[in-house]
Amino acid sequence: MSAGPYRDIRFGEDGDLDGAGLDPLLRLDVTDLVMFAHGWNNSPATAARLHAAFFAPFPSLVSPRVRLGYAGIRWPSMRFPDEPAPGFGPPEPAPPGRAPEPGQGLDLATRSALNGLFPGHRATVARLSLLLGTRPESPGAFTEFGRLARQLAQAPAGGLEACFTDDLPRDEQGPPALLYEDALTLCRAFTAALERTEPPSPPGPPGLNGVWRGARELLRQTTYYALKRRAGAVGELGLGPLLGRLARGRPGIRVHLVGHGQGARLVAFALRGLPDGVHSVKSVTLLQAAFSQYAFAPSLPHAAQNSGALRAMEHRVDGPVVACYSRHDSALGVIYPLASRLAGDDRRPGGPDPRWWAAGHGGLRSAGPPSVRLTLEEALTRGLPRAGCVSLDSASVVRRGGPPTGAHSDICHRELARVVVAAGRIGR
């Protein structure tokens, strides 16, 4: 690890602690502890490289009198292994079975990961892989693909619909398009969205063959919603109570939570599980957060009688909640709003409905006072507020990455480490 002392904290899918649990944290002789949660689609090796790259600048940013410790929050966040790892650190060694077998659209490692995420659905995963590999040009094949993908969607406890509606106002809750609309229409929409994340290119072959690319994204979004539920559960049922026990056992440690993508959801939902009276969390920094921009809103602009899923949770932080966002994040700016749309919602046929934007795309909206919006440069020169929600435009550094996710994983920067130090007033 690039900085120390460092500890791994591992959670199971329902928030249960794996391994040594709390003891490694209780033994740390530190004044401040930065805890980082990786996002969706991270393998254990990728998560370790991410933690090392993100923590590397910290020792040079704090005074020697600060005893700073580090913890990586590991949680099961199934990765599509045949896709490129985020652009940091050395490349991950190619695992056996990286190339799909003849007639298969998914390699062996990806199929195994899906079988682990959706136990009891091995035959469904096999058929989905076969359809992606053979790409039959018939509407009926897309209908079958959609039906099978929805079988997986119902596999997590509560089903996909329960995961989806967690961020929505009560009068807006309804069936997500991903679960109920015509599969061919959805696959065409995902194909068009993926094309918007890429440089202009000649049109593909006519017919339905190219639409199977959108079908693969439909399957990816099925796993996304399963892991969305998991990230919230690990945060609320696992990390939140763990922080309470840490505060009781080591009341002097100041905790600074950081999360990326779905990991931002995890650390934010940990505030819901934080026991009353615990004031050890001194800052929360959300990097390209993959949850609703209205999560902290006391009242929604399109449904004033309702609030976000994390209403008033910023008051459980003895410091600010900082949401870093970037317009260069294609995963959150293009794919997320499309995947978050409700069935039958065609109010914005020309583009994504802004109601479904993610916090990592444009910051937090309608958050309770005090709430401010700053650029990264303003935050680093003038400082951050002592409390409340802060939306921080970090597009000046979070700007590198290729299709389809864009700059979503471009988070390992000294400037963002400085944001965490400033937010937590580490050493002041």
Side-chain angles (χ1 to χ4, degrees):
M1 187 52 59
S2 58
Y6 172 87
R7 300 290 185 269
D8 268 330
I9 303 298
R10 301 174 185 268
F11 290 100
E13 61 184 49
D14 293 319
D16 295 329
L17 275 170
D18 290 342
L22 179 65
D23 289 344
L25 296 182
L26 292 174
R27 291 195 294 266
L28 286 174
D29 180 21
V30 298
T31 57
D32 293 79
L33 178 64
V34 181
M35 305 183 73
F36 186 102
H38 62 77
W40 169 55
N41 226 18
N42 276 254
S43 68
T46 302
R49 296 203 315 278
L50 171 62
H51 292 159
F54 186 78
F55 286 141
F58 279 83
S60 65
L61 297 176
V62 299
S63 165
R65 72 175 183 274
V66 176
R67 301 193 309 277
L68 187 57
Y70 310 86
I73 300 169
R74 305 285 191 95
W75 62 286
S77 57
M78 175 261 177
R79 180 170 182 260
F80 271 56
D82 60 343
E83 296 180 349
F88 52 83
E92 186 174 343
R98 170 69 59 105
E101 302 162 9
Q104 295 290 330
L106 300 171
D107 62 41
L108 179 61
T110 303
R111 298 201 306 273
S112 296
L114 286 169
N115 289 331
L117 183 61
F118 302 111
H121 290 265
R122 186 174 295 272
T124 301
V125 170
R127 179 61 180 167
L128 287 166
S129 178
L130 183 64
L131 288 170
L132 287 171
T134 56
R135 297 190 167 200
E137 296 200 49
S138 87
F142 285 90
T143 299
E144 181 187 5
F145 188 90
R147 177 177 57 80
L148 294 173
R150 285 156 186 159
Q151 287 181 9
L152 297 186
Q154 298 293 356
L160 172 59
E161 190 167 347
C163 306
F164 178 87
T165 55
D166 191 34
D167 287 343
L168 296 180
R170 293 294 178 188
D171 67 343
E172 297 273 5
Q173 286 184 4
L178 194 68
L179 189 57
Y180 287 98
E181 285 192 354
D182 174 67
L184 179 55
T185 300
L186 287 171
C187 292
R188 282 178 166 144
F190 277 121
T191 300
L194 292 170
E195 290 172 350
R196 290 200 297 274
T197 70
E198 300 172 342
S201 61
L208 296 178
N209 185 279
V211 182
W212 283 101
R213 186 181 175 206
R216 192 179 190 285
E217 186 61 32
L218 176 64
L219 179 59
R220 274 172 44 86
Q221 294 305 315
T222 298
T223 69
Y224 165 85
Y225 278 109
L227 292 170
K228 173 181 176 179
R229 170 198 166 272
R230 180 174 295 176
V234 170
E236 185 170 359
L237 304 178
L239 181 57
L242 173 74
L243 294 173
R245 292 162 56 199
L246 177 62
R248 290 194 299 271
R250 292 294 304 279
I253 292 182
R254 307 171 75 251
V255 175
H256 313 278
L257 300 178
V258 185
H260 169 235
Q262 286 276 22
R265 179 183 182 85
L266 190 157
V267 299
F269 273 69
L271 301 176
R272 297 211 308 194
L274 196 66
D276 291 339
V278 172
H279 304 291
S280 59
V281 178
K282 302 302 179 181
S283 68
V284 176
T285 304
L286 310 172
L287 304 172
Q288 304 309 116
F291 60 77
S292 171
Q293 62 185 339
Y294 297 121
F296 288 90
S299 179
L300 296 155
H302 45 278
Q305 71 278 22
N306 294 306
S307 62
L310 297 171
R311 175 186 180 180
M313 289 297 103
E314 69 272 23
H315 300 306
R316 296 193 170 191
V317 182
D318 188 20
V321 174
V322 182
C324 298
Y325 66 94
S326 172
R327 64 183 179 276
H328 304 301
D329 186 334
S330 302
L332 298 183
V334 178
I335 302 298
Y336 181 95
L338 176 62
S340 299
R341 182 175 58 86
L342 291 177
D345 183 2
D346 56 358
R347 300 184 208 184
R348 287 286 298 267
D353 190 323
R355 287 177 303 161
W356 314 134
W357 284 353
H361 172 66
L364 297 171
R365 302 283 178 178
S366 302
S371 178
V372 300
R373 302 182 73 83
L374 299 170
T375 66
L376 178 60
E377 292 72 19
E378 289 170 338
L380 295 181
T381 55
R382 303 201 319 240
L384 289 163
R386 288 179 172 269
C389 291
V390 182
S391 295
L392 193 61
D393 185 350
S394 57
S396 60
V397 296
V398 181
R399 52 192 172 85
R400 296 188 302 253
T405 60
H408 182 67
S409 294
D410 185 24
I411 60 166
C412 295
H413 295 282
R414 183 179 180 86
E415 293 88 346
L416 297 182
R418 289 176 61 192
V419 168
V420 176
V421 171
R425 303 183 68 80
I426 299 176
R428 298 184 192 175

